[in-house]
Amino acid sequence: MNTTALTPELPRSLAARRPRIAVIGDALLDGWMTGRCDRLCREAPAPVVDVSKEDFVPGGAANTAVNLAALGAESLMVTAVGDDVPGDQLVVALRRAGVRTEQVVRAPGRVTTTKRRIIAGDQLMLRFDGGDQGPLEPDVATRLAYAVGRAVTDVDAVLVCDYGTGVLGPEVMEAVRVAREGIPLLVVDAHSLARWRDLRPDVVTPNTNEVAAMIGTRLPEAAADRLTVLERERDGIAERAGTNAVLVTLDRDGTVLFDGAEPPHRTWARPAPENFTAGAGDTFVAALSIAASVGTPLSTAAELAQAAADVVVHRPGTAVCSWVELAERLGSEQSSLADPRELEKAVAEHRAAGRRIVFTNGCFDVLHRGHVAYLNQAKRLGEVLVVALNSDRSVRRLKGPERPVNTESDRAAVVAALSCVDHVVLFDEDTPARLLRSLCPEVYVKGGDYTPEMLPETPIVRALGGEVRILDYLSDHSTTAVIDRIRATSEGAT
């Protein structure tokens, strides 16, 4: 099974592998009360909502566990909740969603954390929270630490969701520390990453506020400026978090991954209009964890997680993304090839909105990490990335009769699935000169050991007022090198 390519087969193969993942964290009950509002109350100028429906679903770490189950993992929830009605509702909801709950500890006298939201029409009117936030009683903490020890035996990954409710106390941390050597993948999503630093997590997923608190500085509001600061501070962030891999979530601006010495990898979100969706971050970290648990490269895992989050932000309530829905989301890119005339109109609209157009082209046969890094860098030169793809006939003329390995429709689907790519268009000629003249991009990008003067497209771009940029050349990641390695491996096996 291929767990490295961002295709509809990836979520299917993850579900087929059914990795065993334990979620240790702060579980809560999310309540959604919906109705209509057409009057104010007599006592005060406050809206009156006639509630017609109330739903309770797992939230917080429990929502992450539910998303893991929906994506095909064997999901185990490890937490402590009150021995009360909300606790009963939460455990039942987890079981119905396919999450194992034998390591959920019930705490007598503790009130289960609950967040209730009141919705009128499409408007969130009010949220009110309840539940105990203090440390667990010593006997409950001891039982939870024992449950952690049992849950993390023979797992593919452990996901810690520490949101500061007091559930994950010193006893739990010590239980994870004792078992750490046997945990293949430890992912930590925590308000305070410093607490988990000594456990050397494999991946951490802070948001920008959490990073700002960790490095003691306020991050700029503008996305580009924030990224500049994050890139400058990446080594310090990783050191403070005790890890080599930091994936910072940027809310509506997507995410950025710092993975050792690798170039930063951005994902770009496709946000919905402001609404009352909750839990997209839970979906993101669940998809990231299930992909990474089977060895998927972190950049690909981040792209998959971004696609899963994009699915749920278009839904109200505490939403969940299944592996079927994720496969459909990636499969929808099969029809993503733009018509050149429609693309010209779309680019004109982007430009009218003040967006900078970046254009690149290539065969992109057997998409590999070098391609992904190159396209990621290209997108960061503007706001809209257009990728012109050589047709199959064009590839054969340029590369020989044995190429392409993948058809133009398959190549287009894989390229379009990357969050950095906004439009994909085919061209049948040897160069994209015709498209360059019709789209007039502000930036034309090529990757490799070229100079601008070596490219036949350079005079066209410059005559149109654009600039030509040459990005990093990753020689050991070329498509030809990948194909040669495949052939060598195949010949060695015969």
Side-chain angles (χ1 to χ4, degrees):
M1 300 177 190
N2 187 356
T3 57
T4 61
L6 191 66
T7 69
E9 292 305 314
L10 179 54
R12 294 189 185 102
S13 64
L14 294 174
R17 291 277 286 269
R18 195 164 170 73
R20 189 171 186 260
I21 302 178
V23 180
I24 305 171
D26 300 311
L28 58 91
L29 190 66
D30 264 341
W32 296 87
M33 305 164 67
T34 57
R36 56 181 296 175
C37 176
D38 51 19
R39 69 188 190 279
L40 299 177
C41 69
R42 298 175 62 182
E43 296 88 348
V48 175
V49 178
D50 294 312
V51 176
S52 58
K53 183 181 180 183
E54 185 170 14
D55 295 313
F56 288 96
V57 295
N63 186 43
T64 301
V66 169
N67 272 276
L68 280 167
L71 290 166
E74 182 184 348
S75 177
L76 299 82
M77 184 74 246
V78 189
T79 190
V81 298
D83 194 9
D84 54 7
V85 172
D88 292 339
Q89 291 176 293
L90 179 54
V91 171
V92 169
L94 283 168
R95 289 172 179 165
R96 286 176 177 169
V99 178
R100 290 175 51 183
T101 61
E102 61 266 29
Q103 304 305 336
V104 174
V105 174
R106 306 303 293 270
R110 188 176 181 90
V111 180
T112 300
T113 301
T114 305
K115 296 182 178 180
R116 292 181 174 87
R117 298 165 178 83
I118 299 178
I119 309 293
D122 291 330
Q123 180 64 48
L124 174 62
M125 306 294 290
L126 179 69
R127 192 186 95 179
F128 53 101
D129 299 352
D132 290 333
Q133 299 290 308
L136 299 175
E137 292 295 325
D139 65 315
V140 178
T142 300
R143 286 194 289 135
L144 182 58
Y146 178 72
V148 168
R150 295 191 64 185
V152 300
T153 302
D154 194 27
V155 294
D156 297 291
V158 171
L159 172 53
V160 172
C161 301
D162 180 8
Y163 306 136
T165 68
V167 169
L168 303 188
E171 299 87 351
V172 169
M173 296 185 70
E174 179 60 24
V176 178
R177 181 178 289 107
V178 168
R180 178 65 181 100
E181 187 174 347
I183 298 174
L185 175 73
L186 177 62
V187 181
V188 174
D189 181 27
H191 288 341
S192 176
L193 289 173
R195 295 189 68 214
W196 300 92
R197 180 183 185 278
D198 292 344
L199 273 68
R200 309 299 298 179
D202 296 292
V203 190
V204 297
T205 59
N207 60 34
T208 51
N209 290 333
E210 291 158 355
V211 169
M214 184 164 42
I215 62 178
T217 186
R218 183 172 181 175
L219 296 176
E221 292 294 326
D225 295 336
R226 271 185 305 175
L227 285 167
T228 299
V229 174
L230 289 171
E231 290 186 27
R232 185 178 68 232
E233 300 288 338
R234 62 180 292 179
D235 292 340
I237 296 169
E239 194 278 331
R240 287 177 175 87
T243 184
N244 286 325
V246 180
L247 201 159
V248 184
T249 57
L250 309 170
D251 196 23
R252 295 175 63 85
D253 294 315
T255 70
V256 59
L257 169 66
F258 302 116
D259 185 8
E262 294 289 330
H265 181 87
R266 275 286 309 275
T267 70
W268 279 262
R270 300 181 183 180
E274 295 293 342
N275 57 17
F276 44 89
T277 296
D282 304 329
T283 302
F284 183 94
V285 74
L288 176 81
S289 299
I290 189 174
S293 73
V294 300
T296 303
L298 280 180
S299 58
T300 304
E303 291 285 347
L304 186 79
Q306 185 66 70
D310 289 343
V311 169
V312 301
V313 297
H314 291 82
R315 300 172 180 169
T318 306
V320 174
C321 178
S322 69
W323 72 264
V324 174
E325 292 167 321
L326 186 50
E328 289 175 351
R329 159 70 173 77
L330 296 175
S332 67
E333 307 298 350
Q334 298 284 352
S335 58
S336 59
L337 274 171
D339 176 86
R341 292 182 180 179
E342 293 300 319
L343 178 58
E344 188 174 347
K345 294 178 183 177
V347 166
E349 292 174 359
H350 287 308
R351 187 170 286 116
R355 303 184 187 109
R356 184 174 167 92
I357 311 302
V358 182
F359 181 104
T360 190
N361 65 281
C363 301
F364 297 102
D365 194 11
V366 189
L367 195 77
H368 51 70
R369 189 173 62 175
H371 286 140
V372 174
Y374 161 71
L375 292 172
N376 210 267
Q377 291 180 62
K379 172 62 176 271
R380 297 184 67 176
L381 298 175
E383 286 76 41
V384 178
L385 177 60
V386 177
V387 178
L389 202 66
N390 291 79
S391 69
D392 288 349
R393 287 191 299 178
S394 176
V395 174
R396 280 192 289 271
R397 287 197 307 271
L398 294 171
K399 304 287 187 178
E402 295 184 353
R403 301 280 298 276
V405 173
N406 294 302
T407 66
E408 59 193 34
S409 60
D410 287 343
R411 290 183 287 124
V414 173
V415 169
L418 296 172
S419 63
C420 60
V421 176
D422 297 285
H423 302 282
V424 181
V425 62
L426 281 178
F427 68 98
D428 204 34
E429 303 86 1
D430 291 343
T431 74
R434 176 177 52 84
L435 287 169
L436 288 170
R437 291 190 177 96
S438 66
L439 300 179
C440 303
E442 280 76 18
V443 187
Y444 176 65
V445 179
K446 287 294 286 186
D449 52 356
Y450 300 105
T451 66
E453 289 67 31
M454 295 169 61
L455 300 173
E457 296 87 356
T458 295
I460 299 171
V461 174
R462 289 177 173 169
L464 294 168
E467 63 173 308
V468 178
R469 297 284 296 271
I470 305 298
L471 299 184
D472 297 338
Y473 178 54
L474 301 175
S475 59
D476 59 329
H477 291 147
S478 71
T479 300
T480 301
V482 172
I483 293 173
D484 287 344
R485 285 197 295 270
I486 294 172
R487 286 173 174 164
T489 302
S490 177
E491 290 170 359
T494 58

